Amino acid sequence: MTAYAEYLAQRAQLANAGGFDPVHMPDHLFDFQRVLVDFAVQQGRAALFADCGLGKTPMSLAWAQNVHEHTGKPVLLLTPLAVGFQVVAEGHRFGYDVEQSRSGKPAAPITVTNYEQLEKFDHSDFGGVVCDESSILKAFDGKTKAIVTEFLRLVPFRLLATATAAPNDYTELGTSSEALGGLGYMDMLTRFFINKDRSISSRGRTQHRITGNPTDVGGAIKWRLKGHAEEPFWRWLATWARAIRRPSDYGFDDGAFVLPELVERVHLVEPESVRDGFLLNLPAVGLREEREETRRTLDERCEAASAALEDADAAVAWCHLNDESATLARLIKGAVELTGSDSLFEKEEKLAAFTRGEIRVLVTKPSLGAWGLNWQHAHRMTYFPSHSYEQMYQAIRRMWRFGQTQPVEVDVITTPGGEQILTNLHRKAAAADAMFAALVAHMNDALGVTSHAYDNEMEVPAWLAS
């Protein structure tokens, strides 16, 4: 290869496949799952962006078994709180040697622990690492995130598995690339994206402030793909990631992977008191007034949530404030409150108890209990909306996921001032759905795939047919 050809190859930013041919492909995997596992093993360091209920756990276990047999070393599988016991149970059901460890030592060829326990472990003990619900990394504090990032950097084989890599923001895909040892977040932005907005400081100097979403409004930079970089961007992404919402995205039969109905009921709670200094209740405008109205209507909203869940056999009352949590736990019969001040053991035990059906109503925040858990045994919840689309998405998807047999009912409780928040969430949901559809389409296009259905009659140009 000439020096110029080497230069062009480097500029292409195509990730080098550092993996190997799979030696383990279990029969229990669905056809689309086998395709994804094969890709991830061949790649060595890969990301699987598969929607909730598509089987990220069996795919992760199959990948981990391949890495274990290839390296002769255990594989560490990292999960959010209280998800580990689900992974272990599913692993045993499929015949894997998998155990949970909190001691910092490998417990089995596939060792499971939660992210908060990672600092106890030595990277040199493992041949690979799986990050389950990897998008949770951005929700951690700086210390935990740094520990995870450093651990990943020192392990040769890596897999990221999540449903929401970037729920409405493809610039966030750079954080996944960086975790896999590929192109860094800022390097990705400068190579493939351009910003159009700049904010001017009081001293007249241009300041850049990165926003998560290129479509966000405000003073932050809005990033968009460079006109000539769109195709190279998707081709680069396709070298290390796969995205799938349903089997038919890859041309397979959806079969049982069809979601039940999602029923969203919006309850508007009128404030009983007036803001200080006002004679009438005026619509809340801006974050400050929205937050003030949220606190002023706390009792009324919690009472509405309690009434909505009065006849539920199993449900979750999601909240965001400590006072909301305490009030909901007091008002709802049979409720158990999970709080940030609980110990790790208490958090895991409460989440596991609700999963086992031992708690009628769990009261908690999305930041504590909305990651990775399978709650198909329940189909009722209440939700106080905030501006975080990802939190609401994850909260709803604990129940509304493939394998759920009942329509999932979500009672969204807000105020007139909160209607703007709800409108913003629906806008973000539409943007997220459009982004994921584009992600799948562009990945297939980058791979030269237009359809995976091989039983269709081929159409050829008239000049070729003649």
Side-chain angles (χ1 to χ4, degrees), residues 247-260:
S248 56
D249 285 340
Y250 280 10
F252 297 106
D253 181 23
D254 285 337
F257 292 92
V258 177
L259 286 169

Side-chain angles (χ1 to χ4, degrees), residues 35 189 259 265 361 377 448 451 463:
V35 170
L189 287 178
L259 286 169
R265 293 184 289 261
V361 177
H377 75 288
S451 173
W463 61 267

Side-chain angles (χ1 to χ4, degrees), residues 45 78 118 122-124 126-131 137 144-160 175-182:
R45 299 177 186 175
L78 299 169
L118 181 58
D122 186 342
H123 67 87
S124 63
F126 300 95
V129 59
V130 178
C131 289
L137 291 175
T144 303
K145 187 181 298 183
I147 291 171
V148 175
T149 302
E150 181 65 10
F151 194 96
L152 285 172
R153 188 180 69 82
L154 298 170
V155 177
F157 295 100
R158 310 169 200 170
L159 178 67
L160 306 182
T175 59
S176 296
S177 171
E178 195 164 18
L180 293 172

Side-chain angles (χ1 to χ4, degrees), residues 403-425:
Q404 174 64 260
T405 60
Q406 300 290 327
V408 174
E409 302 174 40
V410 183
D411 288 283
V412 180
I413 299 169
T414 187
T415 63
E419 283 188 290
Q420 293 184 11
I421 299 176
L422 201 54
T423 299
N424 190 33
L425 285 174

Side-chain angles (χ1 to χ4, degrees), residues 6 14 20 30 53 57 75 107 135 146 160 168 213 234 240 269 282 294-295 300 302 304 349 365 367 382 442:
E6 290 178 358
L14 299 178
F20 51 92
F30 288 92
T57 297
V75 173
S135 61
L160 306 182
N168 57 339
N213 189 344
W234 294 111
W240 56 268
V269 176
L282 298 178
T294 294
R295 292 192 173 277
E300 296 96 314
C302 290
E349 181 52 36
K365 302 176 183 178
S367 58
T382 58
H442 280 296

Side-chain angles (χ1 to χ4, degrees), residues 106-281:
I110 302 177
T111 296
V112 178
T113 195
N114 59 59
Y115 287 98
E116 289 82 358
Q117 303 283 340
L118 181 58
E119 62 182 336
K120 298 178 181 178
F121 290 83
D122 186 342
H123 67 87
S124 63
D125 291 334
F126 300 95
V129 59
V130 178
C131 289
D132 182 44
E133 297 293 345
S134 58
S135 61
I136 199 176
L137 291 175
K138 60 189 175 188
F140 286 137
D141 58 41
K143 178 185 176 183
T144 303
K145 187 181 298 183
I147 291 171
V148 175
T149 302
E150 181 65 10
F151 194 96
L152 285 172
R153 188 180 69 82
L154 298 170
V155 177
F157 295 100
R158 310 169 200 170
L159 178 67
L160 306 182
T162 185
T164 54
N168 57 339
D169 168 21
Y170 47 63
T171 64
E172 273 294 336
L173 293 168
T175 59
S176 296
S177 171
E178 195 164 18
L180 293 172
L183 200 60
Y185 179 78
M186 289 304 301
D187 292 330
M188 182 203 72
L189 287 178
T190 55
R191 180 166 299 278
F192 297 114
F193 293 81
I194 189 171
N195 70 73
K196 299 296 290 182
D197 289 358
R198 295 181 177 184
S199 58
I200 307 299
S201 71
S202 58
R203 296 184 181 181
R205 291 196 298 267
T206 300
Q207 292 183 331
H208 297 272
R209 189 159 55 89
I210 300 171
T211 182
N213 189 344
T215 62
D216 273 348
V217 295
I221 293 172
K222 299 175 186 176
W223 293 92
R224 65 170 177 80
L225 280 168
K226 297 175 182 177
H228 64 278
E230 183 168 358
E231 183 179 350
F233 172 75
W234 294 111
R235 287 191 176 278
W236 164 74
L237 188 60
T239 62
W240 56 268
R242 290 290 182 272
I244 184 171
R245 296 167 302 174
R246 58 186 69 88
S248 56
D249 285 340
Y250 280 10
F252 297 106
D253 181 23
D254 285 337
F257 292 92
V258 177
L259 286 169
E261 182 183 6
L262 179 65
V263 180
E264 182 183 286
R265 293 184 289 261
V266 178
H267 307 261
L268 279 182
V269 176
E270 293 287 344
E272 295 183 0
S273 59
V274 179
R275 292 207 310 267
D276 290 342
F278 288 80
L279 294 176
L280 300 173
N281 264 322

